[in-house]
Amino acid sequence: EPSAFAETILAEIIDRYTAGRAAGQPAEDGEARALAAVFARVVRNSIARRELRPLVGLAIDCRQLDLLDLAVGAAESPTEATQLLAYAKDCCLGPGLGHGSSTAFRRDALLRLSSLLQQQPAPDAVLIAECLLAAEQPVELARVLSELLRDGHAGLAAQIAFNVEADAPQGFCGAVLAQLPQEQPAAFVRAILDGTLPGQLRLEFLARANHGDAQILERTRAALSAQASLHQQALACAAGIMQAGTAGDGFQRTGTDFVAHASNWAKFSATAGLGAVHRGQGARGRALLAAYLPGTGTGGSAYSEGGALLALGLMQTSRSAETVAYLQEQLQAAQSEVLQHGACLGLGAASAGTHSSTTADALRAVLFADSATAGEAAALGLGLAMLGSGPAALAEELHQYARETQHERV
């Protein structure tokens, strides 16, 4: 039985070896070679004692995928091998491998895990899909879905599609959709990945389980000053949050017409709140907002029209090219800064995570026009549209503009 002193020394050796490997230090000097020799002995002892789970953790921490192959190869059964690979996936997605140079290793490790999983007698398709999603491999993920559909595992393919739709950005889902066939049974999976079916299911559930009490809003409105714009703004936000996704817009459409009696930015927020309330009804968005959208409404207020453009973007849970195109047209045609503000925010919400260069160019044009009201919204919309893309040139451009502009809000 090793002493506590020996265990402490061994732990220190492993920590120093791991730190050197993570930093990419070459094993050229005598100390590094000595650390490597001790570590190799630890690996042999781990395999001999069947301490495979700690060995998997060391393989990830030390950036040595060959140790991962050793650990999986030493497993006594396919079930144990799959459990080890699942643990390795959790290690890869931990906070220690999320930034800097380790991002490339994480992608390589996840791809190795996917390959090892597919070599098992009974591959875990859900785990494979999780690895491919985390490694940002939409083409490979589409191949896995196509194989499941071809082999008659439509239910499993649907489960994976629901997981991907919930966790992946729009751009990734769009790339997977581009690789899937149009015909059945892939059409059902496509309806999941583009957000249509999940949006319908969420809407049905929230509408059925809605316990929002409109009387609370009515009593709150009665207690607040009707002339105070700040009070109106707060009440508009409260109404949208209380009924978000439930389609319960009774308060906004009461006989007293809350939107009509609101003023300026409170009118904007009240109209935009309809988008939160009707979240998931993007296909009916323009019909639901017909009374407020530019060119179709009767009020003619730039604030309600701008709020309606934001509401239209908030309604989208599916990937609607038609809605994005409409918002781009409204942004180009807008003469009012308030309309531009709403169109930028709506376009960003509808395009979140798509990494669309067309959307980015339209928002950049508004941002660099140096308008405080429209520029603020354009910056937020641009961030939403390019969410997770990480282009260094765009980041530097925005950083430079932030230093040069005189508008604090931008």
Side-chain angles (χ1 to χ4, degrees), residues 7 17 22 30 54 86 93 137 143 177-179 194 203 207 290 298 304 306 341 345 349 359 378 385 391 399:
E7 289 182 349
Y17 178 79
L93 299 182
Q137 300 293 314
R143 181 186 60 78
L177 284 167
Q179 303 296 321
D194 69 12
L203 178 61
T298 58
S304 61
H341 186 91
L345 290 177
T359 298
H399 189 209

Side-chain angles (χ1 to χ4, degrees), residues 221-246:
R221 175 163 56 182
L224 297 176
S225 170
Q227 284 73 40
S229 177
L230 185 62
H231 291 175
Q232 294 175 345
Q233 184 101 350
L235 189 58
C237 293
I241 293 170
M242 175 182 283
Q243 301 290 349
T246 66

Side-chain angles (χ1 to χ4, degrees), residues 136-230:
E136 301 178 355
Q137 300 293 314
V139 175
E140 284 298 305
L141 183 53
R143 181 186 60 78
V144 171
L145 290 173
S146 298
E147 290 178 355
L148 289 172
L149 293 170
R150 183 193 61 206
D151 296 338
H153 302 299
L156 186 55
Q159 177 187 345
I160 292 173
F162 274 115
N163 293 343
V164 172
E165 191 277 335
D167 297 335
Q170 288 195 50
F172 185 91
C173 291
V176 176
L177 284 167
Q179 303 296 321
L180 292 176
Q182 298 285 343
E183 64 275 2
Q184 290 290 358
F188 180 69
V189 173
R190 294 182 65 87
I192 298 172
L193 286 172
D194 69 12
T196 302
L197 183 57
Q200 292 174 354
L201 295 175
R202 281 191 287 264
L203 178 61
E204 291 174 5
F205 170 78
L206 290 173
R208 185 172 62 251
N210 181 18
H211 297 293
D213 188 354
Q215 291 301 315
I216 294 177
L217 296 174
E218 292 292 350
R219 289 194 294 268
T220 302
R221 175 163 56 182
L224 297 176
S225 170
Q227 284 73 40
S229 177
L230 185 62

Side-chain angles (χ1 to χ4, degrees), residues 51-135:
E51 296 173 348
L52 302 181
R53 186 179 176 93
L55 182 57
V56 167
L58 285 175
I60 301 301
D61 290 341
C62 298
R63 277 63 164 172
Q64 288 187 238
L65 296 181
D66 57 323
L67 297 184
L68 184 61
D69 296 339
L70 282 176
V72 174
E76 293 183 337
S77 67
T79 300
E80 183 184 10
T82 299
Q83 290 172 348
L84 291 173
L85 291 169
Y87 175 67
K89 185 264 296 182
D90 293 338
C91 292
C92 287
L93 299 182
L97 290 177
H99 305 286
S101 60
S102 60
T103 302
F105 170 78
R106 183 180 72 167
R107 182 178 294 107
D108 292 341
L110 289 166
L111 290 175
R112 179 74 67 88
L113 292 176
S114 172
S115 176
L116 291 172
L117 283 165
Q118 293 180 67
Q119 295 172 19
Q120 299 304 309
D124 187 329
V126 174
L127 191 54
I128 293 171
E130 290 175 354
C131 292
L132 294 174
L133 171 59

